[in-house]
């Protein structure tokens, strides 16, 4: 994994808590912020191909 990276606990409405990678800049996340599900590259495999997985990012404020 390319550093720096951010992980956090996400509380879902279904009363489920998951530990997941967050997409964004380090030191920009705070507790109780709203996030949304996204996908993105989390690493590179032995063949040099990207590994894609679920991530969470901040909800855009409009």
């Amino acid at each position: 994994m390319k550093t720096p990276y951010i992980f956090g606990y996400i509380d879902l409405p279904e009363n489920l808590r998951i530990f997941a990678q967050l997409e964004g800049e380090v030191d920009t996340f705070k507790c109780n912020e709203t996030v949304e599900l996204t996908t993105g590259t989390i690493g590179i495999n032995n063949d040099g191909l990207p590994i894609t997985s679920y991530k969470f990012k901040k909800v855009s404020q409009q």
Side-chain angles (χ1 to χ4, degrees):
M1 294 179 122
K2 183 179 174 186
T3 58
Y5 47 85
I6 313 164
F7 285 89
Y9 287 101
I10 306 347
D11 291 325
L12 300 176
E14 296 81 7
N15 203 23
L16 179 66
R17 176 176 281 175
I18 61 170
F19 186 69
Q21 187 173 1
L22 304 175
E23 184 174 288
E25 297 296 318
V26 175
D27 296 329
T28 61
F29 287 89
K30 297 176 184 157
C31 291
N32 297 318
E33 288 188 301
T34 302
V35 294
E36 62 186 357
L37 181 65
T38 187
T39 58
T41 301
I42 60 165
I44 303 295
N45 69 15
N46 292 336
D47 295 325
L49 299 172
I51 301 168
T52 302
S53 185
Y54 297 107
K55 295 179 168 184
F56 288 86
K57 66 178 183 178
K58 284 185 180 185
V59 172
S60 303
Q61 295 189 8
Q62 298 177 1

